[in-house]
Amino acid sequence: CYYQIGLQPLFKIEVPNPTKSVSTTTARIGDTLTYNITELVPSESPEFYYSGWTVTDTIPSSLSWNTGDVWITNEYGSNVTGEFSVSKAGNTLSVRANNVGSSSFYAHQYTIHVNTVVTSANLANYTSGSGTYLGNTASITTNRGVNNSNSVSTEIKYNINTSIDHGTITATSNDNKGASTKTVQFTPQRGYYINRIVVDGV
């Protein structure tokens, strides 16, 4: 709550927590996940303008993305990516506002969109007895401190596709849960035997 004279607040307005969402709660290797991080920047009197505004998000290492997969829109859906500096260090995204000293930055809601692709890399690090889950949070850092978003999570499920020469094999199935057990039955043709089994090239 604050008092206003015209459009100028008399007091600093509390920095809101960012809100994070994900495009799907279930995905498979090769699928695209889109993260959205929304942050409201309230109207501020010039004497209370931020000295810095940066959103950071450490994205799970099983997701592939580049800075070209990131764009920012305002509350009208207009692309305002040019008003921010986007960088990547490891798998951590940083989005810094370039114009915190300008009135044009304030009284807007910004949403950061990140397109990522699920890869097989490091999925074991996100797997437990309950399955494979990629979860994380984002944060906003200003000169007033750090505010964290809610957490989002996507379960990764596995497709099993099998093949055999000179025989039959039963196991092809979709949506298998991480850390679960799957039975595979091999039946060689008459006069053949199983020479080797190759899983993921090994």
Side-chain angles (χ1 to χ4, degrees):
C1 179
Y2 59 92
Y3 296 93
Q4 288 184 315
I5 297 176
L7 295 176
Q8 297 297 327
L10 293 177
F11 307 103
K12 291 181 181 179
I13 301 173
E14 184 177 354
V15 178
N17 287 354
T19 301
K20 185 163 188 181
S21 63
V22 64
S23 57
T24 180
T25 57
T26 304
R28 294 153 198 82
I29 294 172
D31 286 355
T32 297
L33 288 184
T34 301
Y35 287 117
N36 303 293
I37 307 162
T38 300
E39 174 71 1
L40 174 66
V41 179
S43 175
E44 289 279 10
S45 183
E47 63 188 296
F48 302 134
Y49 284 175
Y50 307 146
S51 60
W53 185 100
T54 303
V55 170
T56 57
D57 186 354
T58 299
I59 294 171
S61 59
S62 295
L63 299 177
S64 174
W65 61 281
N66 291 296
T67 55
D69 301 312
V70 181
W71 72 102
I72 299 104
T73 56
N74 62 17
E75 67 273 24
Y76 305 112
S78 301
N79 191 316
V80 293
T81 308
E83 299 176 16
F84 298 82
S85 295
V86 178
S87 61
K88 177 182 181 183
N91 232 40
T92 297
L93 166 69
S94 294
V95 176
R96 177 177 58 83
N98 296 329
N99 56 348
V100 292
S102 171
S103 62
S104 64
F105 173 67
Y106 298 87
H108 289 291
Q109 179 173 279
Y110 300 101
T111 300
I112 300 165
H113 312 271
V114 190
N115 276 345
T116 71
V117 177
V118 181
T119 72
S120 59
N122 303 316
L123 280 175
N125 296 338
Y126 301 96
T127 302
S128 65
S130 59
T132 303
Y133 293 89
L134 304 180
N136 73 328
T137 60
S139 64
I140 171 74
T141 301
T142 68
N143 53 298
R144 304 181 194 175
V146 179
N147 294 65
N148 296 318
S149 76
N150 56 297
S151 177
V152 296
S153 181
T154 297
E155 182 179 11
I156 305 302
K157 293 191 174 181
Y158 301 85
N159 295 343
I160 295 178
N161 297 299
T162 60
S163 64
I164 190 173
D165 294 328
H166 307 294
T168 59
I169 182 172
T170 59
T172 298
S173 61
N174 298 329
D175 296 333
N176 296 281
K177 198 174 185 66
S180 62
T181 299
K182 185 68 181 178
T183 300
V184 179
Q185 180 176 334
F186 302 87
T187 307
Q189 289 178 354
R190 183 179 179 88
Y192 290 87
Y193 66 95
I194 296 173
N195 181 44
R196 63 177 182 158
I197 298 173
V198 180
V199 178
D200 293 336
V202 178

